[in-house]
Amino acid sequence: MTGRRWRDTFRTVASAILDATMPASCARCGRTGEPICDECLRTVPPIAGPTCATCGGPFDAVTQAPGAVTECWSCRLAGKDLPRTRTAATLEGTIREAIHALKYRDRPDVARPLASLLITPALAVTNGVAPVVVPVALHPRRLDARGYDQSRLLAGHLARACGWATMDAVARIRETDSQVGLGRAARRANVAGAFRGTAPLHGLHVLLIDDVMTTGATLVEAARACRAVGAATVSAACLAREVSATGRLP
Ligand SMILES: [Zn+2]
Ligand SMILES: [Zn+2]
């Protein structure tokens, strides 16, 4: 067991003890009881309407050309590299606040209720085949700063809820700048070669887990790393997509 794995395990145990002794408070409204209360969870609207077959983003009316067009403009421009992806919601309101708490306010306990929102998108891309759940890992330096890897926590809770296996099979080998504010080409360049497969995935169906999807450039690179170590198929489920990454024409 690596030191990092030990620390994650310690955190999980410590937070379980804390949960048992101290009631959590909702990361959004502050109500005592759950890390995110049911009332706040219910305010997360699912992505509705016609969606892209590849990225799951909503279509604009303008992209619904007559005929058999099933992909949004964004995916048609991106080619075939993006794994089939579904997200629970767009990055706004409750889910935006909850993800912010998970990533920047030292609230790893929020991962469990947030992971429940990943079940529907995960089932939508796995087609009844049990996947191995692989988190899109943080770079070790960012992990050190945060103390836990939010994608690994989400992957663990999702895998437990669904009875699936999980594996740390992808490592981020290059620290990347924040994707915020970068255009599509700059995002791809920023994450190119950022991941390496660290465990054999021969013949396995991989389900990548990440918190936020922007243009999908990170998922493209993580999927490439999985295929390089033998993954049979790669799909992805994320909590939220940036509003700008909805597949709509810019
Ligand atoms: Zn609440
Ligand atoms: Zn799309």
Side-chain angles (χ1 to χ4, degrees):
M1 206 181 249
T2 64
R4 192 165 301 128
R5 186 67 93 102
W6 268 114
R7 193 173 49 186
D8 278 4
T9 305
F10 174 78
R11 273 199 92 100
T12 306
V13 172
S15 85
I17 292 168
L18 216 60
D19 283 354
T21 53
M22 264 177 62
S25 62
C26 174
R28 178 164 186 256
C29 72
R31 191 186 315 237
T32 303
E34 291 292 322
I36 309 175
C37 72
D38 287 347
E39 209 160 302
C40 285
L41 266 186
R42 273 197 294 273
T43 66
V44 177
I47 290 173
T51 54
C52 169
T54 299
C55 74
F59 273 127
D60 254 0
V62 69
T63 63
Q64 292 180 62
V69 175
T70 57
E71 281 191 318
C72 69
W73 279 110
S74 174
C75 287
R76 274 183 274 168
L77 289 173
K80 296 287 170 209
D81 293 338
L82 182 70
R84 194 160 167 255
T85 303
R86 293 293 178 271
T87 54
T90 49
L91 187 61
E92 51 197 341
T94 297
I95 202 160
R96 185 187 186 93
E97 287 179 45
I99 291 172
H100 193 271
L102 175 63
K103 290 170 78 170
Y104 306 115
R105 285 176 24 215
D106 196 27
R107 288 291 305 262
D109 59 332
V110 169
R112 186 177 48 79
L114 280 180
S116 71
L117 298 174
L118 283 170
I119 295 174
T120 300
L123 292 176
V125 288
T126 49
N127 296 328
V129 178
V132 55
V133 183
V134 175
V136 174
L138 284 180
H139 188 273
R141 252 193 298 275
R142 198 158 298 178
L143 174 58
D144 277 342
R146 189 165 298 157
Y148 55 89
D149 185 328
Q150 73 277 358
S151 295
R152 181 185 287 160
L153 295 180
L154 292 167
H157 287 299
L158 173 70
R160 261 191 299 284
C162 295
W164 294 333
T166 182
M167 201 190 285
D168 291 330
V170 163
R172 201 181 289 247
I173 53 173
R174 197 162 58 69
E175 210 164 3
T176 50
D177 296 331
S178 166
Q179 298 278 68
V180 177
L182 299 179
R184 176 177 301 276
R187 282 172 189 261
R188 292 198 80 144
N190 187 33
V191 294
F195 295 96
R196 184 167 52 84
T198 55
L201 293 170
H202 294 290
L204 294 175
H205 299 282
V206 168
L207 175 67
L208 287 170
I209 298 297
D210 206 355
D211 47 6
V212 175
M213 176 192 181
T214 47
T215 59
T218 303
L219 293 175
V220 166
E221 288 300 318
R224 191 170 290 158
C226 291
R227 292 188 198 104
V229 288
T233 65
V234 184
S235 56
C238 302
L239 282 175
R241 64 179 59 236
E242 279 191 0
V243 180
S244 60
T246 54
R248 295 187 167 119
L249 283 171

